């Protein structure tokens, strides 16, 4: 969906002068994503701390919402998600609140803010729109990304790849990974939570003997496609984006089952200010239009109910991700220390 079409779809009712329906009547008990044409008009000002991500697609979403709501102004502070998290915590400690909303690209960062007790409780007619495993009282996952094993299709078929991430070191496969990348560190954190520190350390040491290091996970996927390594460890959308521009690329996706290798992490948003305006802004991010746009353009997984997943990705219900409290992924310091002790950072 091109940005022009997306903006026009959100702005159409405003241009036509159509009044919004009553929020109490329309959203009394929603269980799935709703269209922007039934959402209340936004009026007033908010400050959003926005973690960088998705190559400007989040900016397109914000622009479309603003054009749909001419009496709404959003002041934005942009920066790396981790830096904005630290700023929110420091401001709170100093007795200052500058952000009304925080949209981060990593649920671990969201967890640090919620753990500090800074997030406002959200209404059930908002959180109830989410898939059952992604409902939280004080933040909302916007879109998800799943850990995958991209593999070179000239060398392998999916049945050659272990479905247990812990079995990879015992295979004869060469691996691409990006240990300095935030998504990889969240994956290792999930492994620590699921398998324990000792098993995770052993796994990393064994993997290091057969791994080639890349600066980022797009590089991992490109290395797999070029045949530099047999498989990689990366979020799903890097493979889907590569294949969208190169349909005959020599790469496809495999999945492990019920372990950190198929962890679903998420970007998320929370309100730091009471009132309807921050909550109603969040409603726009969960709308069918926004969720579909991010699935089609960013290849992220929509987490509001009844919105189709990106093309080329199995439905989330068929992938069997592990049960992990995403907010616990904020516990990164032990992960960094462990990776340094192993010698991969």
């Amino acid at each position: 969906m091109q940005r022009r079409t997306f903006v026009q779809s959100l702005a159409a009712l405003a241009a036509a002068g159509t009044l919004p329906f009553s929020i109490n009547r329309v959203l009394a008990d929603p269980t799935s994503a709703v269209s922007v044409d039934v959402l209340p008009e936004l009026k007033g000002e908010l400050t959003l701390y926005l973690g960088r991500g998705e190559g400007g697609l989040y900016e397109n979403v914000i622009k479309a919402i603003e054009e749909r709501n001419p009496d709404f102004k959003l002041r934005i502070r942009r920066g790396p998600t981790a830096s904005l998290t630290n700023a929110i915590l420091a401001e709170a400690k100093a007795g200052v609140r500058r952000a009304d909303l925080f949209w981060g690209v990593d649920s671990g960062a969201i967890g640090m803010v919620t753990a500090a007790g800074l997030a406002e409780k959200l209404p059930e007619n908002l959180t109830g729109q989410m898939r059952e495993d992604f409902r939280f009282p004080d933040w909302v996952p916007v879109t998800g990304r799943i850990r995958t094993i991209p593999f070179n299709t000239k060398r392998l078929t999916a049945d050659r790849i272990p479905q247990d991430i812990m079995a990879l070191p015992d295979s004869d496969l060469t691996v691409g990974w990006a240990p300095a990348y935030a998504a990889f560190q969240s994956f290792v954190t999930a492994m620590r939570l699921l398998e324990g520190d000792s098993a995770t350390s052993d796994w990393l040491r064994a993997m290091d003997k057969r791994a080639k290091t890349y600066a980022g996970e797009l590089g991992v996927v490109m290395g797999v496609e070029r045949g530099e390594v047999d498989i990689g460890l990366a979020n799903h959308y890097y493979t889907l984006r590569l294949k969208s521009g190169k349909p005959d690329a020599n790469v496809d996706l495999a999945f492990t089952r019920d372990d950190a290798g198929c962890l679903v992490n998420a970007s998320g948003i929370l309100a730091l200010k009471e009132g309807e305006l921050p909550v109603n802004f969040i409603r726009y991010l969960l709308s069918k239009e926004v969720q579909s746009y991010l699935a089609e353009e960013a290849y992220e997984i929509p987490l509001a109910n009844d919105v189709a997943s990106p093309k080329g990705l199995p439905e989330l219900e068929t992938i069997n991700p592990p049960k992990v409290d995403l907010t616990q992924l904020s516990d990164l310091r032990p992960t960094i220390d462990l990776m340094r002790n192993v010698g991969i950072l």
Side-chain angles (χ1 to χ4, degrees):
M1 184 185 296
Q2 297 298 314
R3 179 188 161 325
R4 178 177 175 83
T5 303
F6 176 62
V7 170
Q8 289 174 338
S9 70
L10 263 66
L13 287 182
T18 306
L19 294 175
F21 295 98
S22 164
I23 188 68
N24 292 326
R25 186 176 66 205
V26 174
L27 296 178
D29 188 25
T31 57
S32 61
V34 299
S35 173
V36 293
D37 63 6
V38 299
L39 292 180
E41 186 176 357
L42 303 178
K43 293 184 178 182
E45 295 187 359
L46 291 172
T47 296
L48 169 70
Y49 280 21
L50 176 65
R52 294 184 185 133
E54 307 320 317
L57 294 179
Y58 291 174
E59 301 275 1
N60 291 350
V61 167
I62 291 168
K63 180 67 173 177
I65 293 172
E66 289 180 320
E67 293 191 17
R68 166 73 175 83
N69 297 277
D71 294 326
F72 174 64
K73 179 176 178 58
L74 193 66
R75 297 181 297 269
I76 303 176
R77 176 176 173 179
R78 300 168 176 85
T81 292
S83 297
L84 295 178
T85 301
N86 291 333
I88 291 169
L89 296 175
E91 289 164 5
K93 187 175 182 179
V96 176
R97 191 205 69 228
R98 295 192 174 94
D100 302 315
L101 294 157
F102 175 40
W103 186 359
V105 299
D106 181 81
S107 58
I110 296 290
M112 294 179 69
V113 178
T114 59
L118 301 177
E120 296 291 329
K121 183 176 173 58
L122 298 172
E124 291 183 4
N125 65 13
L126 175 67
T127 59
Q129 297 176 45
M130 309 305 297
R131 298 175 189 242
E132 187 173 355
D133 290 342
F134 296 93
R135 295 176 187 171
F136 303 92
D138 49 8
W139 71 286
V140 171
V142 178
T143 52
R145 63 289 305 267
I146 188 166
R147 299 300 296 175
T148 61
I149 299 181
F151 66 93
N152 184 287
T153 54
K154 282 192 170 181
R155 294 186 178 184
L156 298 169
T157 54
D159 59 4
R160 285 274 319 278
I161 300 167
Q163 291 189 332
D164 178 359
I165 195 71
M166 305 305 289
L168 272 184
D170 296 325
S171 73
D172 60 354
L173 303 172
T174 56
V175 183
W177 66 6
Y181 202 61
F184 184 90
Q185 293 169 9
S186 292
F187 151 72
V188 175
T189 303
M191 183 178 286
R192 288 181 45 243
L193 294 172
L194 292 165
E195 311 289 346
D197 285 6
S198 178
T200 301
S201 295
D202 291 344
W203 186 88
L204 289 170
R205 287 191 181 94
M207 288 292 290
D208 192 33
K209 296 175 182 177
R210 61 177 64 256
K212 177 180 174 64
T213 297
Y214 294 83
E217 292 190 345
L218 177 58
V220 168
V221 173
M222 294 176 68
V224 171
E225 200 276 335
R226 290 193 296 261
E228 296 172 359
V229 289
D230 299 321
I231 64 172
L233 301 171
N235 281 345
H236 77 273
Y237 46 71
Y238 293 110
T239 298
L240 297 188
R241 291 172 190 174
L242 178 63
K243 288 172 70 70
S244 71
K246 186 180 179 182
D248 60 347
N250 302 314
V251 63
D252 207 346
L253 290 175
F255 303 87
T256 59
R257 297 176 63 87
D258 300 310
D259 60 31
C262 58
L263 171 74
V264 178
N265 203 341
S267 67
I269 189 165
L270 54 79
L272 296 158
K273 177 183 179 180
E274 294 181 346
E276 291 187 355
L277 186 57
V279 171
N280 288 338
F281 176 83
I282 294 173
R283 294 187 193 279
Y284 276 82
L285 301 187
L286 302 186
S287 67
K288 290 180 180 177
E289 289 84 355
V290 171
Q291 291 278 296
S292 296
Y293 172 75
L294 292 175
E296 293 168 8
E297 295 295 322
Y299 294 92
E300 294 204 349
I301 301 170
L303 294 177
N305 278 320
D306 300 327
V307 180
S309 294
K311 294 180 180 178
L313 190 71
E315 288 300 321
L316 196 57
E317 293 78 6
T318 69
I319 295 175
N320 301 298
K323 302 290 185 182
V324 174
D325 180 351
L326 296 181
T327 59
Q328 292 187 23
L329 299 181
S330 62
D331 191 20
L332 272 179
R333 175 50 53 191
T335 297
I336 300 299
D337 291 343
L338 183 149
M339 294 173 69
R340 285 176 176 161
N341 289 337
V342 169
I344 65 170
L345 276 184

